[in-house]
Amino acid sequence: MAEFALEINNLQKVYDNNVVALKGIDLKVKKGDFYALLGPNGAGKSSTIGIIGSLVTKSGGTVSVFGNDINKDLNKAKSLLGVVSQEINFSQFEKVLDIVVTQAGFYGIPKSIAMPKVESILKRLSLWDKRNVQARTLSGGYKRRLMIAKAIIHEPKLLILDEPTAGVDIELRREMWSFLKEINKNGTTIILTTHYLEEAEQLCRNIGIIDQGSIVANTSMKDLLGTLNVQGFVFDLHQPLEKAPTIEGFPLKLEDPLTLIAAVNKDRSINALFSELTKLNIKIKSMRNESNRLEELFIEMVNSNEK
Ligand code: ADP
């Protein structure tokens, strides 16, 4: 079997309205990995997942699932893959049990064989008691679980989830984490996208960061957290600037002419930055802390990307 669960080369996506969503990304995810694809809104995460799951057509590049190119061996690739996208992909008027049994049928699993599997999956996802209700009556978190049940009924070797816990309350989120950990331990490779760095920290071994259609970092979670010793600061300026000043030791970025963002290493004093800005006659109206760690990470990554 192939070494990689997923191998993407030079993947490009241009939408009909000429939006360039993916600028030729490369990505390799090892068998058995628990991988996070992180990125801000609009970075290209859903486009990537949509292409892997054949819901979105690509404009260029290749995608292979366990060595099966989706252009050449689509059926084989699909049989090894489960995708949980963000959009509801079941009939809201069907019953929970019927939805999962029907899905098994799509993979050629006869009902007699599917039934015990469906029962065990629905039980594991706390959906068994709700098996005879119409899907539309489920809460958001349970609908998400139903989508997971649908995606794993054929026991895929690679499971990809697009923001599996977005909008899900913290208790359900933790339950979902433990479920995902369990199936990863049992050999399923998992890739997920998330906004929550905590989620990635809890679950993932390796991580890719995508920004504006390009991969800007590909590393292990452990290494990444080790480098995360940078604090982001946002300065509101009195007078507009045309470009960010260059101050040694303090990477600076202009968000707009009146907003300057600084990445300050933990071992450096913010006062030193203040006095350098004063020397350059840059007057600060107010300053705030970038509180989101993921944001800080982007400042750091994107800065080092631009160097
Ligand atoms: P993410 O999942 O990281 O938020 P997306 O892949 O959804 O990013 O979007 C990447 C870019 O492609 C964005 O600029 C978005 O507006 C654009 N985009 C996404 N889907 C479509 C579409 N169906 N038609 C046109 N543009 C799209």
Side-chain angles (χ1 to χ4, degrees), residues 6 8 11 13 15 19-23 25 27 35-56 63 83-87 160-164 166 191-197 199-200 207-217 294-295 298:
L6 178 70
I8 289 179
L11 188 63
K13 176 64 190 172
Y15 282 101
V19 171
V20 181
L22 298 173
K23 299 175 185 162
I25 64 167
L27 206 63
Y35 188 95
L37 189 60
L38 293 178
N41 266 331
K45 302 181 297 293
S46 296
S47 301
T48 307
I49 288 184
I51 292 169
I52 302 166
S54 306
L55 298 167
V56 175
V63 176
V83 177
V84 182
S85 61
Q86 286 191 52
E87 287 87 40
I160 303 185
L161 307 105
D162 197 0
E163 307 245 356
I191 301 176
L192 56 81
T193 71
T194 180
H195 263 81
Y196 306 109
L197 188 59
E199 182 156 281
I207 172 176
I209 298 184
I210 182 167
D211 188 27
Q212 295 177 39
S214 299
I215 298 282
V216 297
L294 193 50
E295 269 314 308
F298 285 128

Side-chain angles (χ1 to χ4, degrees), residues 29-98:
V29 178
K30 283 211 178 98
K31 259 193 328 192
D33 203 350
F34 205 136
Y35 188 95
L37 189 60
L38 293 178
N41 266 331
K45 302 181 297 293
S46 296
S47 301
T48 307
I49 288 184
I51 292 169
I52 302 166
S54 306
L55 298 167
V56 175
T57 53
K58 57 186 162 63
S59 311
T62 58
V63 176
S64 296
V65 179
F66 292 98
N68 302 285
D69 187 314
I70 60 168
N71 282 124
K72 296 178 194 147
D73 304 300
L74 182 61
N75 285 342
K76 183 80 177 127
K78 273 193 163 173
S79 71
L80 295 164
L81 178 68
V83 177
V84 182
S85 61
Q86 286 191 52
E87 287 87 40
I88 301 278
N89 63 353
F90 49 76
S91 159
Q92 302 259 20
F93 294 95
E94 262 191 82
K95 288 182 184 163
V96 169
L97 184 73
D98 295 343

Side-chain angles (χ1 to χ4, degrees), residues 91-99 127-138 146:
S91 159
Q92 302 259 20
F93 294 95
E94 262 191 82
K95 288 182 184 163
V96 169
L97 184 73
D98 295 343
I99 288 170
L127 274 168
W128 185 242
D129 292 346
K130 302 182 193 296
R131 65 190 180 280
N132 290 319
V133 310
Q134 282 187 350
R136 69 187 171 88
T137 65
L138 297 176
L146 177 54

Side-chain angles (χ1 to χ4, degrees), residues 112-286:
S112 58
I113 293 177
M115 270 319 282
K117 258 188 209 170
V118 173
E119 181 174 343
S120 120
I121 288 174
L122 290 184
K123 280 186 173 158
R124 181 61 190 84
L125 287 162
S126 312
L127 274 168
W128 185 242
D129 292 346
K130 302 182 193 296
R131 65 190 180 280
N132 290 319
V133 310
Q134 282 187 350
R136 69 187 171 88
T137 65
L138 297 176
S139 70
Y142 280 98
K143 281 183 181 156
R144 202 73 58 108
R145 286 159 180 243
L146 177 54
M147 284 166 66
I148 295 180
K150 245 191 96 181
I152 61 174
I153 186 63
H154 61 300
E155 297 176 15
K157 295 251 163 285
L158 171 62
L159 179 63
I160 303 185
L161 307 105
D162 197 0
E163 307 245 356
T165 61
V168 170
D169 71 51
I170 188 71
E171 200 177 320
L172 265 187
R173 184 178 305 164
R174 286 187 193 283
E175 267 185 47
M176 225 183 263
W177 287 354
S178 100
F179 175 72
L180 294 176
K181 272 185 186 165
E182 181 187 304
I183 60 171
N184 175 246
K185 214 170 144 198
N186 292 336
T188 308
T189 307
I190 299 184
I191 301 176
L192 56 81
T193 71
T194 180
H195 263 81
Y196 306 109
L197 188 59
E198 191 203 351
E199 182 156 281
E201 269 186 76
Q202 285 281 334
L203 297 174
C204 301
R205 223 163 294 137
N206 290 300
I207 172 176
I209 298 184
I210 182 167
D211 188 27
Q212 295 177 39
S214 299
I215 298 282
V216 297
N218 203 343
T219 176
S220 73
M221 199 68 216
K222 201 162 151 254
D223 285 354
L224 185 74
L225 292 174
T227 61
L228 200 62
N229 51 6
V230 167
Q231 175 90 50
F233 289 93
V234 184
F235 297 102
D236 296 312
L237 309 176
H238 268 294
Q239 276 121 23
L241 290 177
E242 266 175 32
K243 64 186 199 63
T246 307
I247 298 176
E248 211 193 314
F250 294 101
L252 297 166
K253 190 167 91 172
L254 259 194
E255 179 132 296
D256 60 62
L258 284 168
T259 314
L260 188 65
I261 300 183
V264 179
N265 212 296
K266 292 257 162 65
D267 60 8
R268 284 194 156 246
S269 141
I270 184 85
N271 288 334
L273 174 59
F274 267 123
S275 66
E276 290 300 320
L277 288 170
T278 310
K279 272 190 215 159
L280 294 172
N281 217 9
I282 296 170
K283 297 203 175 69
I284 311 292
K285 206 189 229 169
S286 63

